[in-house]
């Protein structure tokens, strides 16, 4: 494994950068940074070094109520929802520009918060801007007059698309910018106002997005953000003035939120965990597999919801592919997330680090064969205190093992064998033998055969020979991976409330 020479590392340079929010005592409420009521604070830790580099307020009831009140007042005043969607779309485009103008600081702050390599976070601003610009193109979905004659005659109905109201946006730590923006852009286009709760490990990069929104001239109160615990998140979900909840995070928390929203009859979108599979057909082009492996199967050090961490490999090519995967994974640089060459960073938090090591132990105890990795990474200097686990490949994994069934959310690949003498059916059955249904890939030299297998995978998105998300196509999970979708016009509909006005 190649590790980085710290003397050549840009860490020193970049951590001295003027990150605008290191130790802060404010929330973003009513268009400005407002002093927190709470005196309690939460540390922000650099997972690459284990060092605390910032702190934010742990919001209390007063902070939360102030944020929801600002969002409700702004919604009720109607200045935002009263605009044509096409006018709101212009603000979305301005927000995109302001986010792009902050690309470097967003990237470095995100990398310092959660250890995502800069090679990953360098694209975060462009991606976020792309989401705002995409939703700006959907203004017509809201603005176009939609008059529908009743099929039995006699009258017509004008279908209006109203904003649902104040939306609670709750995000996880793995992509702290994207997973807010994917909710925020359609919510704003729809005419909603929002309260954002970022995940506790990643409360800083989102502040820079708030600055971009303010700089874009978005009227005060449309977008509010409070930092605080999961308990505060629960209060936000249940707040009487919240009309809709959009959540990305773990399945257990998603169930609690769904239960609360069920009781309250409150619409909710849930993007939850996954355990997706790469089905490898016997004719796989190994160079295509090699080129797509890290991004499709271990993106962001294995901390991506849709990645295919289970490789389902034909017996006829099993050892060859195990060797290729091990070679590719062990050859990718692990080290300082702030260095441009880094492919694998640390786990985002100490607790995630411990969870990953526990899964590795369980795999060994259950008899899986560790081909590479399988232990903490031994890095030098200050990185030696970071939460690094070596990228790990287990072969001879059987579908009943814990690492084959449960979401690990770390750099661990499980390679499962299928008997290809009678076709691909067994591989599809293994891929579908999961409670989740989020992503998936098929690797094959025969594009048509790949599409046919993709059709049989019981999941919200499947790629043929690669995986990507498309802002224009719905993204969401089936089964324990969630309810509802984000992206595309379908993702916009979640923020709209329909009204039919009947007339003759
Ligand atoms: P998490 O523990 O479920 O937390 C997600 C967010 O919910 C955080 O902001 C968290 O706050 C908050 N929260 C915790 N308990 C809550 C409650 N009872 N009510 C309301 N909010 C609550 O997930 P995570 O550990 O941050 O992220 C990892 C998980 O996200 C993985 O399972 C991954 O698969 C999933 N994920 C899914 C997608 C997708 O699109 N399907 C994308 C990315 C990640 P605190 O941080 O303060 O606890
Ligand atoms: Mg968590």
């Amino acid at each position: 494994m190649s590790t980085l020479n710290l003397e050549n590392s840009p860490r020193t340079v970049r951590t001295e950068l003027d990150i605008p929010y290191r130790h802060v005592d404010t929330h973003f409420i009513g268009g400005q940074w407002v002093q927190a009521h709470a005196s309690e604070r939460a540390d922000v830790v650099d997972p690459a070094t284990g060092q605390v580099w910032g702190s934010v307020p742990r919001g209390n009831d007063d902070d939360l109520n102030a944020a929801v009140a600002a969002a409700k007042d702004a919604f009720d005043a109607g200045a935002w929802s009263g605009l044509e969607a096409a006018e709101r779309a212009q603000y979305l485009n301005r927000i995109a520009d302001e986010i792009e103008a902050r690309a470097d600081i967003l990237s470095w702050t995100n990398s310092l918060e959660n250890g995502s390599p800069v090679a990953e976070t360098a694209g975060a601003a462009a991606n976020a801007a792309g989401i705002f610009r995409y939703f700006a193109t959907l203004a017509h979905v809201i603005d176009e007059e939609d008059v529908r004659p009743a099929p039995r005659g006699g009258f017509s109905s004008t279908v209006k698309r109203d904003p649902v109201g104040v939306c609670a946006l709750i995000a996880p730590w793995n992509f702290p910018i994207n997973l807010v923006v994917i909710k925020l852009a359609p919510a704003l286009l729809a005419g909603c106002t929002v309260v954002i709760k970022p995940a506790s490990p990643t409360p800083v990069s989102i502040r820079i997005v708030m600055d971009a929104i303010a700089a874009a001239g978005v009227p005060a109160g449309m977008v509010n953000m409070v930092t605080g615990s999961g308990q505060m998140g629960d209060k936000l979900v249940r707040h009487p003035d919240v009309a809709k909840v959009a959540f990305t995070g773990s399945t257990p928390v998603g169930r609690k939120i769904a239960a609360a929203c069920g009781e309250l009859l409150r619409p909710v979108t849930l993007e939850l965990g996954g355990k997706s599979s790469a089905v490898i057909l016997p004719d796989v082009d190994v160079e295509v597999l090699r080129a797509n492996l890290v991004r499709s199967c271990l993106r962001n050090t294995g901390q991506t919801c849709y990645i295919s961490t289970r490789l389902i490999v034909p017996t006829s090519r099993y050892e060859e592919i195990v060797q290729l995967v091990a070679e590719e994974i062990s050859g990718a640089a692990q080290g300082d997330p702030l260095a441009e060459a880094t492919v694998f960073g640390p786990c985002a938090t100490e607790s995630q680090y411990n969870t990953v090591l526990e899964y590795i132990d369980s795999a060994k105890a259950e008899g899986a064969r560790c081909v590479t990795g399988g232990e903490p990474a031994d890095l030098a200097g200050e990185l030696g205190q970071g939460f690094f686990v070596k990228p790990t490949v287990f072969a001879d994994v059987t579908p009943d093992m814990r690492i084959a069934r449960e979401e690990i959310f770390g750099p661990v690949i499980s390679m499962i064998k299928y008997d290809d003498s009678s076709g691909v059916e067994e591989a599809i059955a293994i891929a579908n033998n999961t409670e989740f249904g989020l992503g998936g890939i098929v690797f094959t030299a025969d594009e048509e055969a790949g599409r046919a297998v993709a059709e049989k995978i019981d999941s919200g998105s499947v790629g043929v020979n690669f995986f990507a998300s498309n802002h224009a196509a719905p993204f969401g999970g089936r089964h324990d991976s969630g309810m509802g979708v984000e992206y595309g016009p379908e993702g916009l509909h979640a923020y709209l409330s329909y009204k039919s006005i009947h007339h003759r």
Side-chain angles (χ1 to χ4, degrees):
M1 167 178 331
S2 39
T3 49
L4 288 156
N5 177 354
L6 269 183
E7 277 171 24
N8 297 329
S9 156
R11 166 158 291 272
T12 327
V13 183
R14 288 191 179 163
T15 53
E16 279 168 9
L17 263 172
D18 192 19
I19 288 178
Y21 302 108
R22 275 175 189 274
H23 294 279
V24 287
D25 56 4
T26 53
H27 303 288
F28 190 74
I29 297 175
Q32 50 193 327
W33 294 106
V34 173
Q35 178 78 33
H37 293 88
S39 57
E40 252 194 280
R41 316 187 54 76
D43 287 338
V44 186
V45 175
D46 177 355
T49 63
Q51 298 295 308
V52 172
W53 65 270
S55 60
V56 298
R58 253 191 243 271
N60 66 13
D61 289 357
D62 293 333
D63 297 316
L64 183 66
N65 289 335
V68 177
K72 179 159 196 311
D73 289 350
F75 186 77
D76 290 346
W80 184 249
S81 58
L83 296 176
E84 295 274 294
E87 294 171 278
R88 292 192 295 266
Q90 291 174 11
Y91 284 95
L92 267 60
N93 286 325
R94 287 206 282 276
I95 296 171
D97 295 342
E98 293 293 340
I99 286 179
E100 277 183 330
R102 291 163 174 79
D104 285 348
I105 201 74
L106 274 168
S107 162
W108 297 325
T109 309
N110 182 346
S111 291
L112 278 175
E113 283 176 326
N114 74 354
S116 293
V118 288
E120 174 69 59
T121 61
N127 186 58
I131 296 171
F132 277 108
R133 292 199 180 104
Y134 167 71
F135 279 104
T137 69
L138 296 187
H140 66 93
V141 172
I142 300 170
D143 286 341
E144 261 167 21
E145 205 186 26
D146 183 0
V147 182
R148 304 184 192 181
R152 295 176 64 196
F155 69 100
S156 289
S157 305
T158 296
V159 179
K160 307 280 293 177
R161 290 161 180 81
D162 292 335
V164 286
V166 175
C167 299
L169 313 184
I170 303 180
W173 43 258
N174 58 335
F175 291 93
I177 301 164
N178 171 282
L179 293 173
V180 170
V181 167
I182 196 173
K183 301 166 177 54
L184 179 58
L188 287 180
L189 184 74
C192 298
T193 64
V194 310
V195 177
I196 297 164
K197 186 208 122 33
S200 290
T202 51
V204 183
S205 55
I206 194 63
R207 291 179 173 255
I208 296 160
V209 176
M210 297 302 100
D211 284 342
I213 285 165
V218 173
M222 305 300 126
V223 180
N224 305 276
M225 190 274 307
V226 278
T227 50
S229 66
Q231 215 182 351
M232 190 196 75
D234 177 58
K235 287 184 173 166
L236 174 59
V237 164
R238 296 171 192 271
H239 196 290
D241 291 331
V242 164
K244 184 223 160 36
V245 177
F247 171 80
T248 299
S250 63
T251 297
V253 173
R255 279 186 209 286
K256 287 189 204 168
I257 292 177
C261 290
E263 204 176 331
L264 293 163
L265 295 178
R266 186 164 291 177
V268 59
T269 312
L270 301 169
E271 302 292 350
L272 309 178
K275 190 76 193 178
S276 305
S277 296
V279 172
I280 297 177
L281 302 196
D283 70 348
V284 58
D285 178 338
V286 287
E287 290 317 312
V288 171
L289 174 61
R290 193 191 293 281
N292 286 279
L293 186 68
V294 170
R295 185 138 181 109
S296 311
C297 302
L298 282 187
R299 182 177 180 188
N300 199 25
T301 317
Q303 302 167 122
T304 307
C305 51
Y306 60 66
I307 49 175
S308 294
T309 53
R310 306 194 299 171
L311 267 58
I312 307 185
V313 185
T315 313
S316 62
R317 299 192 64 180
Y318 193 71
E319 275 315 315
E320 170 202 354
I321 291 173
V322 166
Q323 290 320 313
L324 175 146
V325 168
E327 188 184 292
E328 198 59 30
I329 296 300
S330 62
Q334 181 171 38
D336 192 340
L338 299 184
E340 269 152 30
T342 295
V343 176
F344 292 113
C347 297
T349 63
E350 188 169 15
S351 93
Q352 199 57 35
Y353 168 83
N354 290 325
T355 302
V356 173
L357 290 176
E358 206 181 288
Y359 273 111
I360 287 174
D361 288 344
S362 83
K364 291 175 179 169
E366 289 186 272
R369 168 164 55 111
C370 183
V371 194
T372 184
E375 58 188 5
D378 187 14
L379 299 181
E382 56 176 353
L383 298 185
Q385 307 304 308
F387 311 135
F388 292 89
V389 175
K390 281 187 185 168
T392 298
V393 177
F394 279 105
D396 303 343
V397 174
T398 55
D400 55 316
M401 291 181 187
R402 272 185 71 202
I403 58 160
R405 289 184 287 112
E406 298 176 20
E407 182 180 53
I408 300 172
F409 229 55
V412 182
I413 280 184
S414 301
M415 303 197 59
I416 303 174
K417 208 180 280 183
Y418 75 94
D419 177 4
D420 54 312
S421 61
S422 52
V424 72
E425 292 310 315
E426 187 185 341
I428 294 168
I430 295 169
N432 287 341
N433 181 18
T434 168
E435 282 139 27
F436 297 107
L438 192 54
I441 313 176
V442 188
F443 283 108
T444 170
D446 179 348
E447 194 72 22
E448 226 170 279
R451 292 271 288 269
V453 173
E455 304 242 359
K456 292 184 178 169
I457 294 181
D458 184 13
S459 142
S461 305
V462 187
V464 179
N465 289 317
F466 76 106
F467 195 93
S469 49
N470 174 351
H471 300 170
F475 171 78
R478 296 181 177 179
H479 313 295
D480 288 5
S481 290
M483 296 198 311
V485 295
E486 296 186 310
Y487 284 145
E490 295 83 357
L492 172 61
H493 286 302
Y495 296 90
L496 296 170
S497 179
Y498 296 93
K499 178 192 280 177
S500 298
I501 299 179
H502 311 302
H503 45 84
R504 291 194 204 279

